[in-house]
Amino acid sequence: MDGGRRVLSNVIHSQVDLHQEFGGVVPELAARDHLERLPHLLDLALEQAGVQPADVDLLAVTRGPGLVGCLLVGMGVGLGLATAWAKPLSGVNHLWGHIYAAMLTRPDLEPPLLGLVVSGAHSDLVSMPEHGRFEVIGRTRDDAAGEAFDKAARMLGLGYPGGPALDRLARNGDARRQSLPKPSLPGLEFSFSGLKTALLYRLRDLGAEPGEQEKADLAAAFERSVVESLLDKLDQALSSEPVAEVVVAGGVAANTLLRRRAAEVVAGRARLTMPQLELCTDNAAMIAAAGFFTSTPRGEVGSRLRLPGGGAHYSTTVDPSLGWD
Ligand code: KG4
Ligand code: ZN
């Protein structure tokens, strides 16, 4: 990154092929693959950006939440580079990264903002009053939205990764033909496990192997219930605390229906920013952006420790279960 807004290179190695035959992410394989791929990816990132290690002012690495094996590999590489190159290292919160992805898409976007972060493990409504400060105002009681999509996709026989496959199938379906309940808890809490059970029972009632059209209709109905439930709470939060900027981010923000409906719900009340598709799902640029905005004198977060090589680092303790803190 050049500053916090301009991406010079954003190299992604997808592990989809590695995990596909198991129908989901295998943590041990994921961590080992990180270890094997990272050195080459780093070379590629520097080459594509056209920079030398000496040009680097700050390194950023995810410290959590996430799979502990992958976090440890990333942190090991981060600390190693920071020591070898004598550069400061910033340990970044993964969820913050998703919000900062929106800043890459919209250069004049600044807090205060209302954020909805929807990923494989989180469905959180957050209020962001300033850089590096987040207050969770709503979360899920059970499954995250991405997890719900992945489980529904598996029930519909769509394999891994489920979310994008369900999104594609839903485009051929009609949600009204297989209507499913829309979860609705009081306040700003989400819940998707009941909807998942409703889909399971509907599939059981349909018996044997449902037809292609039935599957597409069910995918559309499931998607509609998840999306409308997410947006009901966003709508409620925006009504009770009006704010000029709204961000919807995280892997599920790549969903076609969510993108269309979020624009309709927010229209005329605030400006909506959703990261471009490749910045919704996990990527390195969002972590670099979050590191830039939260580790520079703009708003120093955490303590600055010296490293043996003369570098420094901020909050670099691995925490797989980290919340928004
Ligand atoms: O943020 P992310 O890339 O990784 C985590 O931090 O979890 O989010 C991944 C999640 C997965 O559950 C995936 O199925 C979901 O985002 N996802 C989608 C779509 N693209 C990715 N869900 C629905 N529609 C999509 N187009
Ligand atoms: Zn993520």
Side-chain angles (χ1 to χ4, degrees):
M1 304 276 308
D2 176 13
R5 307 272 187 180
R6 203 161 78 84
V7 182
L8 297 180
S9 66
N10 188 24
V11 184
I12 294 178
H13 167 71
S14 166
Q15 291 192 345
V16 164
D17 292 345
L18 179 68
H19 300 297
Q20 204 146 35
E21 66 173 295
F22 304 101
V25 175
V26 183
E28 181 64 21
L29 292 183
R32 283 169 191 266
D33 201 45
H34 273 63
L35 191 58
E36 277 172 32
R37 305 281 174 173
L38 262 174
H40 173 62
L41 291 175
L42 278 163
D43 286 343
L44 218 58
L46 287 174
E47 189 188 311
Q48 287 183 11
V51 301
Q52 304 292 322
D55 304 327
V56 174
D57 297 310
L58 175 74
L59 294 154
V61 62
T62 308
R63 59 183 287 252
L67 294 173
V68 66
C70 301
L71 294 171
L72 282 168
V73 171
M75 192 64 84
V77 170
L79 285 166
L81 284 181
T83 306
W85 295 350
K87 302 290 180 185
L89 176 71
S90 171
V92 170
N93 182 308
H94 178 79
L95 298 167
W96 296 18
H98 278 303
I99 293 275
Y100 279 100
M103 314 255 171
L104 302 177
T105 298
R106 178 103 65 191
D108 66 342
L109 176 63
E110 288 284 341
L113 61 83
L114 169 66
L116 171 65
V117 173
V118 270
S119 70
H122 288 82
S123 302
D124 294 333
L125 265 169
V126 290
S127 153
M128 179 187 183
E130 58 186 73
H131 284 289
R133 270 190 59 208
F134 297 87
E135 189 198 338
V136 181
I137 56 172
R139 53 162 56 92
T140 179
R141 183 181 278 194
D142 38 60
D143 293 354
E147 189 182 356
F149 275 130
D150 292 338
K151 286 178 179 167
R154 188 189 284 233
M155 284 188 236
L156 292 167
L158 301 180
Y160 165 86
L166 190 138
D167 184 344
R168 278 193 300 277
L169 182 63
R171 282 178 229 164
N172 307 324
D174 181 344
R176 288 164 304 184
R177 277 202 291 260
Q178 288 287 354
S179 196
L180 289 169
K182 180 177 73 176
S184 125
L185 291 181
L188 296 177
E189 244 188 334
F190 302 109
S191 167
F192 299 110
S193 71
L195 174 63
K196 199 178 59 191
T197 311
L199 174 65
L200 187 71
Y201 287 168
R202 182 69 55 82
L203 279 167
R204 204 181 54 185
D205 294 346
L206 287 171
E209 178 67 6
E212 277 313 303
Q213 190 57 53
E214 276 170 333
K215 278 199 208 171
D217 292 342
L218 279 168
F222 191 90
E223 179 183 61
R224 182 174 72 172
S225 290
V226 172
V227 165
E228 293 306 324
S229 143
L230 290 170
L231 293 177
D232 272 1
K233 303 299 179 187
L234 181 70
D235 178 52
Q236 205 176 311
L238 190 54
S239 298
S240 60
E241 280 281 320
V243 57
E245 304 279 7
V246 172
V247 166
V248 178
V252 179
N255 180 265
T256 313
L257 182 68
L258 180 59
R259 295 182 85 82
R260 176 156 57 78
R261 288 285 299 129
E264 288 166 11
V265 168
V266 175
R269 302 156 76 194
R271 184 170 72 157
L272 171 70
T273 307
M274 297 184 77
Q276 66 219 57
L277 290 185
E278 68 273 20
L279 294 177
C280 283
T281 39
D282 293 348
N283 63 85
M286 72 184 199
I287 301 302
F292 175 86
F293 281 105
T294 59
S295 310
T296 61
R298 296 175 63 102
E300 193 159 315
V301 173
S303 54
R304 206 162 195 273
L305 304 172
R306 303 307 299 176
L307 284 172
H313 64 106
Y314 308 85
S315 318
T316 44
T317 322
V318 170
D319 187 348
S321 62
L322 197 67
W324 281 84
D325 310 326

